[in-house]
Amino acid sequence: MENYKAVNRSKENGSTKSLLNKGMVPGVIYGKNTTPSTIAFEDKILQKLMHSGGFYSKIIDLDIEGTKEKVLPKQLQYHPVTDKLIHFDFLRVQNDTKVTVEVEVIFLNKETCPGLKKGGVLNLVRRLVELNCNANNIPEKLEFDLITSEIGDAVKISNIDLPEGVKPAIIDRDFVIATLAPPTVEAE
């Protein structure tokens, strides 16, 4: 895992506006029963991390002027007019920290799925599933194989193999993630 450099924010670094003008984004790290830390992170690196996929479910290793921190992205704030990133919140985590994250669901074998070959439509009810797990055990993605799925089938959370120690945030019911719906338009 790569270490990303960040700097402590102080009066010497300048105001929030001057940090943004220098290509740095101000932010805060909180959690783990410690005092929140104010830091600044390079905008280019943050943008690269954000667009690499699964940003809110990836642990980031930070090097803050020699101090190592493991953080989980929690919130990003944008300027209301320019849509430029102006602030971030990171949660400080350890390996045994319990976290709630949203993880993407990927469907395999769409091209060979019998229900889709017959003209069925994969209707996604949830693209992301909220999971409770330890910070060191966050799955990158959840997968479901459509190889035997027919029209009328429903993919529920119980059909997806979750890693050990990972539980869905919704525990009172077996919720639907996707359905294979019949075609809505008849061929002429």
Side-chain angles (χ1 to χ4, degrees):
M1 219 181 228
E2 196 175 338
N3 271 335
Y4 297 99
K5 297 233 183 273
V7 294
N8 283 312
R9 227 168 65 207
S10 63
K11 296 276 186 226
E12 292 83 47
N13 298 41
S15 67
T16 300
K17 192 172 184 177
S18 68
L19 278 172
L20 289 167
N21 289 339
K22 291 178 195 168
M24 300 291 280
V25 180
V28 65
I29 301 176
Y30 57 85
K32 204 174 81 176
N33 300 325
T34 57
T35 325
S37 309
T38 54
I39 65 167
F41 200 73
E42 197 173 327
D43 186 42
K44 275 194 277 185
I45 295 171
L46 198 52
Q47 294 290 338
K48 187 179 110 184
L49 287 170
M50 287 165 40
H51 298 300
S52 65
F55 177 65
Y56 288 103
S57 60
K58 277 189 187 153
I59 301 289
I60 299 171
D61 287 325
L62 287 184
D63 180 354
I64 307 162
E65 297 176 4
T67 308
K68 305 271 191 249
E69 294 272 9
K70 285 182 181 288
V71 296
L72 185 66
K74 273 308 195 192
Q75 187 176 20
L76 298 174
Q77 295 155 6
Y78 296 91
H79 190 279
V81 176
T82 63
D83 268 351
K84 185 177 176 183
L85 183 63
I86 57 171
H87 193 269
F88 62 84
D89 288 5
F90 286 166
L91 177 67
R92 192 177 276 129
V93 295
Q94 292 176 317
N95 287 339
D96 61 347
T97 304
K98 291 273 188 207
V99 294
T100 301
V101 292
E102 287 186 327
V103 177
E104 183 180 17
V105 182
I106 305 292
F107 294 93
L108 306 173
N109 294 315
K110 288 182 188 174
E111 59 285 337
T112 56
C113 172
L116 292 176
K117 277 186 169 180
K118 293 175 188 166
V121 178
L122 184 63
N123 179 19
L124 298 179
V125 178
R126 295 173 187 267
R127 292 180 193 283
L128 302 169
V129 175
E130 202 170 70
L131 302 172
N132 293 326
C133 58
N134 283 343
N136 65 343
N137 200 22
I138 300 172
E140 195 172 307
K141 62 186 177 229
L142 299 178
E143 294 180 335
F144 182 78
D145 196 347
L146 294 168
I147 195 80
T148 60
S149 298
E150 292 286 348
I151 291 176
D153 289 354
V155 179
K156 297 184 176 185
I157 190 65
S158 60
N159 302 123
I160 293 180
D161 293 329
L162 296 174
E164 193 168 326
V166 177
K167 305 224 177 310
I170 300 171
I171 55 172
D172 59 340
R173 64 186 184 279
D174 190 15
F175 57 91
V176 175
I177 295 170
T179 59
L180 256 159
T184 54
V185 179
E186 289 184 27
E188 290 185 26

